[in-house]
Coordinates of all heavy atoms in Angstrom, one line a residue:
M202 N -13.3 -31.7 31.7 CA -13.9 -31.7 30.3 C -13.6 -30.3 29.7 O -13.2 -30.2 28.5 CB -15.4 -31.9 30.4 CG -16.1 -31.9 29.1 SD -15.7 -33.3 28.2 CE -16.6 -33.1 26.8
K203 N -13.7 -29.3 30.5 CA -13.5 -27.9 29.9 C -12.0 -27.8 29.6 O -11.6 -27.2 28.6 CB -13.9 -26.9 31.0 CG -13.8 -25.5 30.5 CD -14.4 -24.5 31.5 CE -14.4 -23.1 30.9 NZ -15.0 -22.1 31.8
F204 N -11.1 -28.4 30.4 CA -9.7 -28.3 30.2 C -9.3 -29.0 28.8 O -8.5 -28.5 28.0 CB -8.9 -29.0 31.3 CG -7.4 -29.1 31.1 CD1 -6.6 -28.0 31.1 CD2 -6.9 -30.3 30.7 CE1 -5.3 -28.1 30.8 CE2 -5.5 -30.4 30.5 CZ -4.7 -29.3 30.5
A205 N -9.9 -30.2 28.6 CA -9.7 -30.9 27.4 C -10.1 -30.1 26.1 O -9.4 -30.0 25.1 CB -10.4 -32.2 27.4
L206 N -11.3 -29.5 26.2 CA -11.8 -28.6 25.1 C -10.8 -27.5 24.9 O -10.5 -27.2 23.7 CB -13.2 -28.1 25.5 CG -13.8 -27.2 24.4 CD1 -14.0 -28.0 23.1 CD2 -15.1 -26.6 24.9
N207 N -10.4 -26.8 25.9 CA -9.5 -25.7 25.7 C -8.1 -26.2 25.1 O -7.5 -25.5 24.3 CB -9.2 -25.0 27.1 CG -10.4 -24.1 27.5 OD1 -11.2 -23.8 26.7 ND2 -10.5 -23.9 28.8
F208 N -7.7 -27.3 25.6 CA -6.4 -27.9 25.1 C -6.5 -28.2 23.6 O -5.6 -27.8 22.8 CB -6.1 -29.1 25.9 CG -4.8 -29.8 25.4 CD1 -3.6 -29.2 25.7 CD2 -4.8 -31.0 24.7 CE1 -2.4 -29.7 25.3 CE2 -3.6 -31.5 24.3 CZ -2.4 -30.9 24.6
Y209 N -7.6 -28.8 23.2 CA -7.8 -29.1 21.7 C -7.9 -27.8 20.9 O -7.4 -27.8 19.8 CB -9.0 -30.0 21.5 CG -8.7 -31.5 22.0 CD1 -9.5 -32.1 22.9 CD2 -7.6 -32.2 21.5 CE1 -9.2 -33.3 23.4 CE2 -7.3 -33.5 21.9 CZ -8.1 -34.0 22.9 OH -7.9 -35.3 23.3
L210 N -8.6 -26.9 21.4 CA -8.8 -25.6 20.7 C -7.4 -24.9 20.5 O -7.1 -24.3 19.5 CB -9.8 -24.7 21.4 CG -11.2 -25.1 21.2 CD1 -12.1 -24.1 22.1 CD2 -11.7 -25.0 19.8
F211 N -6.6 -25.0 21.6 CA -5.3 -24.4 21.6 C -4.4 -25.1 20.5 O -3.7 -24.4 19.7 CB -4.6 -24.5 23.0 CG -3.2 -24.0 23.0 CD1 -3.0 -22.6 23.0 CD2 -2.2 -24.8 23.2 CE1 -1.7 -22.1 23.0 CE2 -0.9 -24.4 23.2 CZ -0.6 -23.0 23.1
L212 N -4.4 -26.4 20.5 CA -3.7 -27.1 19.5 C -4.1 -26.8 18.1 O -3.3 -26.7 17.1 CB -3.8 -28.6 19.8 CG -2.9 -29.2 20.9 CD1 -3.2 -30.7 21.1 CD2 -1.5 -28.9 20.8
F213 N -5.4 -26.7 17.9 CA -6.0 -26.4 16.6 C -5.5 -25.1 16.1 O -5.1 -24.9 14.9 CB -7.5 -26.4 16.7 CG -8.2 -26.0 15.4 CD1 -8.2 -26.9 14.3 CD2 -8.8 -24.8 15.3 CE1 -8.8 -26.5 13.1 CE2 -9.4 -24.4 14.1 CZ -9.4 -25.3 13.0
V214 N -5.5 -24.1 17.0 CA -5.0 -22.7 16.6 C -3.5 -22.8 16.2 O -3.1 -22.2 15.3 CB -5.3 -21.7 17.7 CG1 -4.6 -20.4 17.5 CG2 -6.8 -21.5 17.9
L215 N -2.7 -23.5 17.0 CA -1.3 -23.6 16.7 C -1.0 -24.2 15.4 O -0.1 -23.8 14.7 CB -0.6 -24.3 17.8 CG -0.3 -23.6 19.1 CD1 0.4 -24.5 20.1 CD2 0.5 -22.4 18.8
L216 N -1.8 -25.3 15.1 CA -1.5 -26.0 13.8 C -2.0 -25.3 12.6 O -1.5 -25.4 11.5 CB -2.1 -27.4 13.9 CG -1.5 -28.3 15.0 CD1 -2.2 -29.6 15.0 CD2 0.0 -28.5 14.7
T217 N -3.1 -24.5 12.7 CA -3.7 -23.8 11.6 C -3.0 -22.5 11.2 O -2.9 -22.1 10.0 CB -5.2 -23.5 11.7 OG1 -5.3 -22.8 12.9 CG2 -6.0 -24.8 11.8
F218 N -2.4 -21.8 12.2 CA -1.7 -20.6 11.9 C -0.2 -20.7 12.0 O 0.4 -20.1 12.8 CB -2.2 -19.5 12.9 CG -3.7 -19.2 12.8 CD1 -4.5 -19.5 13.8 CD2 -4.2 -18.6 11.7 CE1 -5.9 -19.2 13.7 CE2 -5.5 -18.3 11.6 CZ -6.4 -18.6 12.6
S219 N 0.3 -21.6 11.2 CA 1.7 -21.8 11.2 C 2.4 -20.7 10.3 O 1.7 -20.0 9.6 CB 2.1 -23.2 10.6 OG 1.6 -23.3 9.3
E220 N 3.7 -20.6 10.4 CA 4.4 -19.5 9.7 C 4.8 -20.0 8.4 O 6.0 -20.3 8.1 CB 5.6 -19.0 10.6 CG 5.2 -18.4 11.9 CD 6.4 -17.9 12.6 OE1 7.5 -17.9 12.1 OE2 6.2 -17.6 13.8
K221 N 3.9 -20.0 7.4 CA 4.2 -20.3 6.1 C 4.2 -19.1 5.2 O 3.3 -18.2 5.4 CB 3.3 -21.4 5.5 CG 3.4 -22.7 6.2 CD 2.4 -23.7 5.6 CE 2.5 -25.0 6.3 NZ 1.6 -26.0 5.7
S222 N 5.0 -19.0 4.2 CA 5.0 -17.9 3.3 C 5.1 -18.4 1.9 O 5.9 -19.4 1.6 CB 6.1 -16.9 3.6 OG 7.3 -17.5 3.4
F223 N 4.4 -17.9 1.0 CA 4.4 -18.3 -0.4 C 5.0 -17.1 -1.2 O 4.4 -16.1 -1.3 CB 3.0 -18.7 -0.9 CG 2.4 -19.8 -0.1 CD1 1.4 -19.5 0.9 CD2 2.8 -21.1 -0.3 CE1 0.9 -20.5 1.6 CE2 2.3 -22.1 0.5 CZ 1.3 -21.8 1.4
S224 N 6.1 -17.4 -1.9 CA 6.7 -16.3 -2.7 C 6.3 -16.4 -4.1 O 5.8 -17.5 -4.6 CB 8.2 -16.4 -2.5 OG 8.7 -17.6 -2.9
L225 N 6.5 -15.4 -4.9 CA 6.2 -15.3 -6.3 C 7.2 -16.1 -7.1 O 8.3 -16.2 -6.8 CB 6.2 -13.9 -6.8 CG 5.2 -12.9 -6.2 CD1 5.4 -11.5 -6.7 CD2 3.8 -13.4 -6.5
T226 N 6.7 -16.7 -8.2 CA 7.6 -17.4 -9.1 C 8.2 -16.4 -10.1 O 7.8 -15.2 -10.1 CB 6.8 -18.4 -10.0 OG1 5.8 -17.7 -10.7 CG2 6.1 -19.4 -9.1
D227 N 9.2 -16.8 -10.8 CA 9.8 -15.9 -11.8 C 8.8 -15.4 -12.8 O 8.8 -14.2 -13.2 CB 11.0 -16.6 -12.5 CG 12.2 -16.8 -11.6 OD1 12.3 -16.0 -10.7 OD2 12.9 -17.8 -11.8
Y228 N 7.9 -16.2 -13.3 CA 6.9 -15.8 -14.3 C 6.0 -14.8 -13.7 O 5.7 -13.8 -14.4 CB 6.1 -17.1 -14.7 CG 5.0 -16.7 -15.7 CD1 5.3 -16.4 -17.0 CD2 3.7 -16.6 -15.3 CE1 4.3 -16.1 -17.9 CE2 2.7 -16.3 -16.2 CZ 3.0 -16.1 -17.5 OH 2.0 -15.7 -18.4
Q229 N 5.6 -14.9 -12.4 CA 4.7 -13.9 -11.8 C 5.4 -12.6 -11.6 O 4.8 -11.6 -11.8 CB 4.2 -14.5 -10.5 CG 3.2 -15.6 -10.6 CD 2.9 -16.2 -9.3 OE1 3.7 -16.3 -8.4 NE2 1.7 -16.8 -9.1
I230 N 6.7 -12.7 -11.3 CA 7.5 -11.4 -11.2 C 7.5 -10.7 -12.5 O 7.4 -9.5 -12.6 CB 8.9 -11.7 -10.6 CG1 8.8 -12.1 -9.2 CG2 9.8 -10.5 -10.8 CD1 10.1 -12.6 -8.5
R231 N 7.8 -11.4 -13.6 CA 7.9 -10.8 -14.9 C 6.6 -10.2 -15.3 O 6.5 -9.1 -15.9 CB 8.4 -11.8 -16.0 CG 9.9 -12.1 -15.9 CD 10.2 -12.9 -17.2 NE 9.4 -14.1 -17.2 CZ 9.9 -15.3 -17.1 NH1 11.2 -15.5 -16.8 NH2 9.1 -16.4 -17.2
E232 N 5.5 -10.9 -15.1 CA 4.2 -10.4 -15.4 C 3.8 -9.2 -14.7 O 3.2 -8.2 -15.2 CB 3.1 -11.5 -15.2 CG 3.1 -12.6 -16.2 CD 2.8 -12.1 -17.6 OE1 1.8 -11.4 -17.8 OE2 3.5 -12.5 -18.5
T233 N 4.2 -9.1 -13.4 CA 3.9 -7.9 -12.6 C 4.8 -6.7 -13.0 O 4.3 -5.6 -13.1 CB 4.3 -8.2 -11.1 OG1 3.5 -9.4 -10.7 CG2 3.9 -7.0 -10.2
C234 N 6.0 -7.0 -13.4 CA 6.9 -5.9 -13.8 C 6.7 -5.5 -15.3 O 7.4 -4.6 -15.8 CB 8.3 -6.3 -13.5 SG 8.7 -6.4 -11.8
K235 N 5.9 -6.2 -16.0 CA 5.7 -5.9 -17.4 C 5.2 -4.5 -17.7 O 5.6 -3.8 -18.7 CB 4.7 -6.9 -18.0 CG 4.6 -6.8 -19.5 CD 3.5 -7.7 -20.0 CE 3.9 -9.1 -20.0 NZ 2.9 -10.1 -20.6
K236 N 4.4 -3.9 -16.8 CA 3.8 -2.6 -16.9 C 4.7 -1.5 -16.5 O 4.4 -0.3 -16.7 CB 2.5 -2.6 -16.1 CG 1.5 -3.6 -16.5 CD 0.4 -3.7 -15.6 CE -0.4 -5.0 -15.9 NZ -1.2 -5.4 -14.7
E237 N 5.8 -1.8 -15.8 CA 6.7 -0.8 -15.2 C 7.6 -0.2 -16.3 O 7.9 -0.8 -17.4 CB 7.6 -1.4 -14.2 CG 6.9 -1.9 -13.0 CD 6.2 -0.8 -12.2 OE1 6.8 0.3 -12.0 OE2 5.1 -1.0 -11.6
K238 N 8.1 1.0 -16.1 CA 9.0 1.7 -17.0 C 10.3 1.0 -17.1 O 10.9 0.7 -18.1 CB 9.2 3.2 -16.6 CG 8.3 4.1 -17.3 CD 8.7 5.5 -17.0 CE 7.8 6.5 -17.7 NZ 8.2 7.9 -17.3
R239 N 10.9 0.8 -15.9 CA 12.2 0.1 -15.7 C 12.0 -1.3 -15.3 O 12.0 -1.6 -14.1 CB 13.0 0.9 -14.7 CG 13.3 2.3 -15.2 CD 14.2 3.0 -14.3 NE 14.3 4.4 -14.7 CZ 15.2 5.2 -14.2 NH1 16.0 4.9 -13.3 NH2 15.2 6.5 -14.7
K240 N 11.8 -2.2 -16.2 CA 11.5 -3.6 -15.9 C 12.7 -4.3 -15.2 O 12.4 -5.0 -14.3 CB 11.2 -4.4 -17.2 CG 10.0 -3.9 -17.9 CD 9.8 -4.7 -19.2 CE 8.7 -4.0 -20.1 NZ 8.6 -4.6 -21.4
S241 N 13.9 -4.0 -15.6 CA 15.0 -4.7 -15.0 C 15.2 -4.3 -13.5 O 15.4 -5.2 -12.6 CB 16.3 -4.4 -15.7 OG 16.6 -3.0 -15.7
N242 N 14.9 -3.1 -13.1 CA 15.0 -2.7 -11.7 C 13.8 -3.3 -10.9 O 14.0 -3.7 -9.8 CB 14.9 -1.1 -11.6 CG 16.2 -0.5 -11.9 OD1 17.2 -1.1 -12.0 ND2 16.1 0.8 -12.2
C243 N 12.7 -3.4 -11.5 CA 11.5 -4.0 -10.9 C 11.8 -5.4 -10.6 O 11.5 -5.9 -9.5 CB 10.3 -3.8 -11.7 SG 8.8 -4.6 -11.1
I244 N 12.3 -6.2 -11.6 CA 12.5 -7.6 -11.4 C 13.6 -7.8 -10.4 O 13.5 -8.7 -9.5 CB 13.0 -8.2 -12.8 CG1 11.7 -8.2 -13.8 CG2 13.5 -9.6 -12.6 CD1 12.1 -8.6 -15.2
K245 N 14.7 -7.0 -10.4 CA 15.7 -7.2 -9.4 C 15.2 -6.9 -8.0 O 15.5 -7.7 -7.1 CB 16.8 -6.2 -9.7 CG 18.0 -6.2 -8.8 CD 19.0 -5.1 -9.2 CE 20.1 -5.0 -8.1 NZ 21.0 -3.9 -8.4
N246 N 14.4 -5.9 -7.8 CA 13.9 -5.6 -6.5 C 12.9 -6.7 -6.0 O 13.0 -7.1 -4.8 CB 13.1 -4.3 -6.5 CG 14.1 -3.1 -6.6 OD1 15.3 -3.2 -6.3 ND2 13.6 -2.0 -7.1
M247 N 12.1 -7.2 -6.9 CA 11.1 -8.3 -6.5 C 11.9 -9.6 -6.2 O 11.5 -10.3 -5.2 CB 10.1 -8.5 -7.6 CG 9.3 -7.3 -8.0 SD 7.7 -7.2 -7.1 CE 6.8 -8.5 -7.8
Q248 N 13.0 -9.9 -6.9 CA 13.7 -11.1 -6.6 C 14.5 -10.9 -5.3 O 14.6 -11.9 -4.5 CB 14.7 -11.4 -7.7 CG 14.0 -11.9 -9.0 CD 15.0 -12.1 -10.1 OE1 16.1 -11.6 -10.1 NE2 14.5 -12.9 -11.1
E249 N 14.9 -9.8 -4.9 CA 15.6 -9.5 -3.6 C 14.6 -9.7 -2.5 O 14.9 -10.3 -1.5 CB 16.2 -8.1 -3.6 CG 17.5 -8.0 -4.4 CD 18.0 -6.6 -4.3 OE1 17.5 -5.8 -3.5 OE2 18.9 -6.3 -5.1
K250 N 13.4 -9.2 -2.7 CA 12.3 -9.3 -1.7 C 11.9 -10.8 -1.5 O 11.7 -11.2 -0.4 CB 11.1 -8.5 -2.1 CG 11.3 -7.0 -1.9 CD 10.1 -6.2 -2.3 CE 10.3 -4.7 -2.1 NZ 9.2 -3.9 -2.5
R251 N 11.9 -11.5 -2.6 CA 11.5 -12.9 -2.6 C 12.6 -13.7 -1.8 O 12.3 -14.5 -0.9 CB 11.4 -13.5 -4.0 CG 11.1 -15.0 -3.9 CD 10.9 -15.6 -5.3 NE 12.2 -15.5 -6.1 CZ 12.3 -15.8 -7.3 NH1 11.2 -16.2 -8.0 NH2 13.4 -15.6 -8.0
S252 N 13.9 -13.4 -2.0 CA 14.9 -14.1 -1.3 C 14.9 -13.8 0.2 O 15.1 -14.6 1.1 CB 16.3 -13.8 -1.9 OG 16.6 -12.5 -1.7
K253 N 14.6 -12.5 0.5 CA 14.5 -12.1 2.0 C 13.3 -12.8 2.6 O 13.4 -13.3 3.7 CB 14.3 -10.6 2.1 CG 15.6 -9.8 1.8 CD 15.3 -8.3 2.0 CE 16.6 -7.5 1.7 NZ 16.3 -6.1 1.8
L254 N 12.2 -12.9 1.9 CA 11.0 -13.6 2.4 C 11.3 -15.1 2.7 O 10.9 -15.6 3.7 CB 9.8 -13.4 1.4 CG 8.5 -14.0 1.9 CD1 8.0 -13.2 3.1 CD2 7.5 -13.9 0.7
Q255 N 12.0 -15.7 1.7 CA 12.3 -17.1 1.9 C 13.2 -17.4 3.0 O 13.2 -18.5 3.7 CB 12.8 -17.7 0.6 CG 11.8 -17.8 -0.5 CD 12.4 -18.3 -1.8 OE1 13.5 -18.2 -2.1 NE2 11.5 -18.8 -2.7
K256 N 14.1 -16.4 3.3 CA 15.0 -16.6 4.5 C 14.3 -16.3 5.8 O 14.9 -16.6 6.8 CB 16.2 -15.6 4.3 CG 17.1 -15.9 3.2 CD 18.2 -14.9 3.1 CE 19.1 -15.2 1.8 NZ 20.1 -14.1 1.6
G257 N 13.2 -15.7 5.8 CA 12.4 -15.5 7.0 C 12.4 -14.0 7.5 O 12.0 -13.7 8.5
N258 N 13.0 -13.1 6.7 CA 13.1 -11.7 7.0 C 11.8 -11.0 6.7 O 11.1 -11.5 5.8 CB 14.2 -11.0 6.3 CG 15.6 -11.6 6.7 OD1 15.7 -12.2 7.8 ND2 16.5 -11.5 5.8
L259 N 11.5 -10.0 7.4 CA 10.3 -9.2 7.1 C 10.5 -8.3 5.8 O 11.6 -7.8 5.7 CB 9.9 -8.4 8.2 CG 9.5 -9.1 9.5 CD1 9.2 -8.1 10.6 CD2 8.2 -10.0 9.2
I260 N 9.5 -8.1 5.0 CA 9.6 -7.2 3.9 C 8.4 -6.3 3.9 O 7.4 -6.5 4.5 CB 9.7 -8.0 2.5 CG1 8.4 -8.8 2.3 CG2 10.9 -8.9 2.5 CD1 8.2 -9.4 1.0
E261 N 8.6 -5.2 3.2 CA 7.5 -4.2 3.0 C 6.8 -4.5 1.7 O 7.4 -4.6 0.7 CB 8.1 -2.8 3.0 CG 7.1 -1.7 3.0 CD 7.7 -0.3 3.0 OE1 8.7 -0.2 3.7 OE2 7.2 0.6 2.3
I262 N 5.5 -4.6 1.8 CA 4.7 -4.9 0.6 C 3.9 -3.7 0.3 O 3.0 -3.2 1.1 CB 3.8 -6.1 0.9 CG1 4.6 -7.3 1.3 CG2 2.9 -6.4 -0.3 CD1 3.8 -8.5 1.7
P263 N 4.1 -3.1 -0.9 CA 3.3 -1.9 -1.3 C 1.9 -2.3 -1.7 O 1.7 -3.4 -2.2 CB 4.0 -1.3 -2.5 CG 4.8 -2.5 -3.0 CD 5.1 -3.4 -1.9
V264 N 0.9 -1.5 -1.4 CA -0.5 -1.7 -1.8 C -0.8 -1.0 -3.1 O -0.6 0.2 -3.2 CB -1.4 -1.3 -0.7 CG1 -2.9 -1.5 -1.1 CG2 -1.1 -2.0 0.6
I265 N -1.2 -1.7 -4.1 CA -1.5 -1.2 -5.4 C -3.0 -1.0 -5.5 O -3.7 -2.0 -5.4 CB -1.0 -2.1 -6.6 CG1 0.5 -2.3 -6.4 CG2 -1.3 -1.5 -7.9 CD1 1.1 -3.3 -7.3
P266 N -3.5 0.2 -5.7 CA -5.0 0.4 -5.8 C -5.5 -0.2 -7.0 O -4.9 -0.3 -8.1 CB -5.1 1.9 -5.8 CG -3.8 2.5 -6.2 CD -2.8 1.5 -5.8
Y267 N -6.8 -0.7 -6.9 CA -7.5 -1.3 -8.0 C -8.1 -0.3 -8.9 O -8.7 0.6 -8.4 CB -8.5 -2.3 -7.5 CG -9.4 -2.9 -8.6 CD1 -8.9 -3.9 -9.4 CD2 -10.7 -2.4 -8.8 CE1 -9.6 -4.4 -10.4 CE2 -11.5 -3.0 -9.8 CZ -10.9 -4.0 -10.6 OH -11.7 -4.5 -11.6
R268 N -7.8 -0.4 -10.2 CA -8.4 0.6 -11.2 C -9.3 -0.2 -12.1 O -8.8 -1.2 -12.7 CB -7.3 1.3 -12.0 CG -6.5 2.2 -11.1 CD -5.5 2.9 -11.9 NE -4.6 3.7 -11.1 CZ -3.5 4.3 -11.5 NH1 -3.1 4.2 -12.7 NH2 -2.7 4.9 -10.6
K269 N -10.5 0.3 -12.3 CA -11.4 -0.4 -13.1 C -11.3 -0.1 -14.6 O -10.8 0.7 -15.1 CB -12.8 -0.1 -12.7 CG -13.8 -1.1 -13.0 CD -15.1 -0.8 -12.3 CE -16.0 -1.9 -12.5 NZ -17.3 -1.7 -12.0

């Protein structure tokens, strides 16, 4: 009984934590880069990061502090 419970918990963990990634759409990239000085460089960099993410490569994600 204990083996069956551990087995089902193991399967549950494997199925819930799959390797899925959600990349930004073109509209979301433009909205994010709207505030930047050099919009074209920002858009180009974000699109490159999106393509790397979709291929399965690791990318570095900057943390932007929240300002009220």
Side-chain angles (χ1 to χ4, degrees):
M202 182 69 180
K203 189 174 182 180
F204 174 74
L206 178 64
N207 287 338
F208 179 72
Y209 287 122
L210 287 175
F211 178 72
L212 285 179
F213 176 73
V214 169
L215 281 180
L216 295 176
T217 56
F218 296 112
S219 61
E220 295 181 14
K221 292 182 182 179
S222 61
F223 301 103
S224 57
L225 296 174
T226 62
D227 288 332
Y228 178 76
Q229 289 171 330
I230 290 174
R231 281 192 305 248
E232 287 297 312
T233 305
C234 293
K235 187 186 287 186
K236 302 168 192 159
E237 297 291 322
K238 266 188 179 178
R239 299 182 182 191
K240 294 177 190 174
S241 60
N242 286 344
C243 177
I244 291 172
K245 181 182 169 186
N246 291 336
M247 298 267 291
Q248 287 175 343
E249 286 177 11
K250 288 180 182 181
R251 177 178 62 187
S252 67
K253 287 181 182 179
L254 183 65
Q255 288 175 342
K256 290 178 185 174
N258 299 334
L259 297 176
I260 61 170
E261 184 177 322
I262 302 172
V264 176
I265 302 170
Y267 175 74
R268 294 183 186 167
K269 205 170 190 184

